[in-house]
Amino acid sequence: MIKLLDEARELSIFTAYNTNVDAITYLRGDTVQKLIDEFGAGAVRRRMEEYPRQINEPLDFVARLVHALKTGKPIEVPLVNEELQGWFDSHFKYDVERMGGQAGIIANLLANLDFRRVVVYTPHLSKRQAGMFVRKENLSYPVVEGGRLVFRHPSEAYREGDPVKVNRIFEFRAGTTFKLGDETVTVPFSGRFIVSARFDSIRIYTEPGLKPFLPEIGLVADGAILSGYQGIKLRYSDGRDANYYLREAKRDVLLLKREHDVKVHLEFASIQNRELRKKVIYNLFPLVDSVGMDESEIAYVLSALGYPELSDRIFTYNRIEDTVLGGKILIDEMNLEVLQIHTIYYIMYITHSNNPLSEEELRSSLELAATLAAARASLGDIRSPEDFKRGLGVPYNERGEYVKLRFEEAKRRLRTREYKVVIIPTRLVRNPVSTVGLGDTISAGAFTSYLALLRRKGAL
Ligand code: AMP
């Protein structure tokens, strides 16, 4: 596995678009209590019943937070009213600030693993954001100077005045208690509540000045990992809309591939709005080679594609057989080269049967991904290629054998001759230092090792 990692590290990877600052607060019971007392338990309860889908005013936040604490489920709710930033700043102290956003997390990860070259692009690069990139020579940001494309470290490429996207993450621990009126609430599971900034000023796109240079960027990259489309809004105050940004996103992929058919991986994240979810799938999936997502996301995708029963089944029962079936539908309808699905207990690849890699090779790529995630979960971060070895000491999860058994059954029942489907159990760390970015780590590890294996075969 070390050999495969070494081969992957020979690659040059481009990644875009989303970065943000994750401002983390470790929530205590008395902090929650103060919030409830400020608004009154009755008002909080009423708003909880309304279940606001986005945060427009402080009470929306308090209601959704208390709801999440009662169930102990991790959730992300968009904050759409920029004026509330002051309210948050006056009510909470941040314990830690960290790089957030898939492109930012993946860029730092691959740079720390000493990949040959990592080019990261994010349309808003403030000084604060730029300061969160690791100081590595292999990491750069594309800049146009004097009509030419040059690459600079993000810390030398930032622009004063660029907006900063701050996602506020409230980490909660099982056992935290507070009172909601006369009801005593005890948080059942540890998790996190994310208030994600969705402001008009934040866009997911390539600046017009850089756009003509995308083919040149494509030429220096062996692969591209694109993400952040969940941050597109349906409508903006200047009249632009999701259709506009998705048309531009399609052009970006085609421009990257123009001079050399660079393989493109799209990392899909949950999109609450069904209309936007459908647009992202239909506009972009057919243009990319590889897609990665987690189990709840495949269920959302299937529901958007018109398979509500299968989607419901995956949500309710989490059966491997249904996930395989859903994956087959997705690679067929979108004609993907490879689909990767990660869940808490297993990771899966589905390809067509003519994929150049053998099932054994595909499995070794997933092994690398699971090991990398285990290393990150144990250490909190991956700072050097050496850190990877830490993952090798993490055993497969205790359901591993059961997973394999169910998978073999599913394979017998479903027609899988036209596909290659491989699955491996995850190496689950019992008390992870952090769970943020583990999915991104799996996808980056899987895609880059997939490319390395293609290269070994002369297919890249
Ligand atoms: P996501 O839902 O995209 O953030 O992906 C999270 C993935 O990280 C899960 O599907 C697991 O495969 C992996 N994962 C989660 N928790 C752990 C852990 N404690 N140790 C190792 N891997 C983990």
Side-chain angles (χ1 to χ4, degrees):
M1 221 188 303
I2 306 270
K3 179 162 175 281
L4 182 55
L5 178 65
D6 287 343
E7 288 176 46
R9 291 167 50 219
E10 291 294 311
L11 300 168
S12 298
I13 302 292
F14 171 65
T15 182
Y17 298 86
N18 56 333
T19 61
N20 60 262
V21 174
D22 277 348
I24 300 158
T25 300
Y26 298 104
L27 263 187
R28 295 200 323 248
D30 57 343
T31 318
V32 182
Q33 195 64 62
K34 255 195 244 150
L35 285 172
I36 293 173
D37 295 347
E38 183 178 335
F39 292 90
V44 174
R45 274 222 184 93
R46 279 192 296 280
R47 191 60 61 92
M48 280 167 75
E49 265 161 40
E50 288 169 23
Y51 198 72
R53 296 275 171 179
Q54 50 188 36
I55 299 169
N56 250 313
E57 53 174 350
L59 187 54
D60 294 333
F61 162 72
V62 179
R64 286 297 304 263
L65 176 68
V66 173
H67 189 276
L69 292 171
K70 276 186 83 166
T71 56
K73 287 205 173 146
I75 187 107
E76 177 167 338
V77 185
L79 169 66
V80 290
N81 181 352
E82 198 157 0
E83 287 163 19
L84 285 195
Q85 300 225 69
W87 183 85
F88 278 101
D89 287 339
S90 66
H91 279 70
F92 301 100
K93 198 172 98 322
Y94 302 110
D95 299 306
V96 191
E97 267 195 8
R98 216 175 28 206
M99 171 67 85
Q102 293 143 314
I105 289 171
I106 291 170
N108 277 351
L109 169 73
L110 300 183
N112 275 338
L113 283 171
D114 285 345
F115 269 60
R116 179 184 295 273
R117 189 168 184 182
V118 182
V119 178
V120 60
Y121 176 70
T122 188
H124 309 295
L125 189 66
S126 63
K127 188 172 182 182
R128 185 168 165 205
Q129 188 69 65
M132 302 203 141
F133 284 98
V134 295
R135 308 250 157 194
K136 298 277 295 199
E137 279 184 8
N138 57 352
L139 177 65
S140 65
Y141 183 91
V143 188
V144 180
E145 279 175 14
R148 281 182 47 236
L149 178 68
V150 292
F151 296 95
R152 302 232 177 279
H153 189 270
S155 61
E156 291 163 10
Y158 69 83
R159 294 164 296 246
E160 298 284 358
D162 263 19
V164 195
K165 176 172 152 82
V166 179
N167 280 357
R168 296 182 156 86
I169 303 190
F170 297 89
E171 299 245 20
F172 50 84
R173 296 240 149 258
T176 303
T177 62
F178 56 88
K179 290 198 89 162
L180 181 62
D182 41 23
E183 177 190 356
T184 301
V185 178
T186 304
V187 178
F189 306 104
S190 300
R192 55 188 195 257
F193 182 81
I194 304 180
V195 178
S196 57
R198 287 273 187 285
F199 304 143
D200 207 76
S201 55
I202 308 284
R203 311 280 168 117
I204 292 290
Y205 76 127
T206 302
E207 294 150 286
L210 182 68
K211 198 129 173 151
F213 295 93
L214 284 175
E216 213 175 305
I217 294 176
L219 266 181
V220 303
D222 300 302
I225 303 178
L226 304 180
S227 57
Y229 305 104
Q230 71 275 16
I232 295 177
K233 284 158 63 93
L234 281 174
R235 227 150 255 101
Y236 294 85
S237 60
D238 58 8
R240 297 218 160 121
D241 59 7
N243 283 340
Y244 170 83
Y245 284 103
L246 285 168
R247 254 192 325 268
E248 291 299 318
K250 286 202 283 196
R251 284 183 58 207
D252 284 5
V253 177
L254 296 173
L255 285 168
L256 277 172
K257 283 175 168 284
R258 198 177 75 190
E259 300 298 321
H260 131 241
D261 189 12
V262 53
K263 295 272 182 203
V264 175
H265 172 89
L266 186 155
E267 185 59 17
F268 189 76
S270 297
I271 302 177
Q272 293 294 318
N273 183 291
R274 199 186 152 88
E275 197 184 333
L276 180 67
R277 190 192 313 148
K278 206 164 161 177
K279 281 180 193 293
V280 169
I281 299 166
Y282 279 102
N283 277 277
L284 293 169
F285 281 22
L287 295 186
V288 302
D289 306 283
S290 163
V291 170
M293 61 180 72
D294 72 19
E295 192 172 39
S296 68
E297 285 148 6
I298 180 111
Y300 278 125
V301 167
L302 289 166
S303 127
L305 292 182
Y307 297 91
E309 288 108 31
L310 182 56
S311 165
D312 282 348
R313 280 214 305 274
I314 294 178
F315 268 126
T316 321
Y317 305 112
N318 291 323
R319 280 200 309 241
I320 293 178
E321 184 179 330
D322 292 328
T323 309
V324 174
L325 186 58
K328 282 167 50 176
I329 291 174
L330 195 54
I331 69 158
D332 269 340
E333 296 203 355
M334 297 293 147
N335 201 1
L336 298 170
E337 179 174 319
V338 54
L339 171 67
Q340 176 259 112
I341 300 170
H342 45 270
T343 76
I344 193 79
Y345 295 114
Y346 63 87
I347 317 179
M348 179 188 288
Y349 267 144
I350 304 181
T351 74
H352 292 286
S353 57
N354 61 358
N355 188 284
L357 299 188
S358 66
E359 292 199 351
E360 197 183 326
E361 287 166 323
L362 289 168
R363 216 171 285 122
S364 67
S365 163
L366 294 181
E367 294 280 2
L368 185 145
T371 308
L372 198 59
R376 184 180 172 112
S378 325
L379 297 167
D381 199 2
I382 291 184
R383 294 197 175 78
S384 76
E386 281 298 298
D387 285 352
F388 175 77
K389 295 193 184 128
R390 179 67 178 257
L392 292 168
V394 179
Y396 293 110
N397 71 72
E398 77 280 1
R399 297 205 200 173
E401 288 307 312
Y402 173 76
V403 162
K404 284 189 201 154
L405 213 68
R406 294 307 305 259
F407 174 63
E408 290 307 322
E409 269 173 36
K411 255 184 123 167
R412 274 197 295 276
R413 242 193 324 269
L414 297 167
R415 275 169 46 94
T416 52
R417 225 161 12 106
E418 290 145 45
Y419 307 86
K420 287 178 183 161
V421 189
V422 298
I423 193 168
I424 62 137
T426 51
R427 296 173 183 261
L428 222 45
V429 175
R430 220 174 270 280
N431 290 305
V433 175
S434 161
T435 56
V436 176
L438 288 181
D440 306 335
T441 302
I442 289 177
S443 292
F447 179 61
T448 57
S449 56
Y450 177 82
L451 295 184
L453 288 162
L454 284 184
R455 173 170 278 184
R456 204 189 264 179
K457 293 219 138 157
L460 181 74

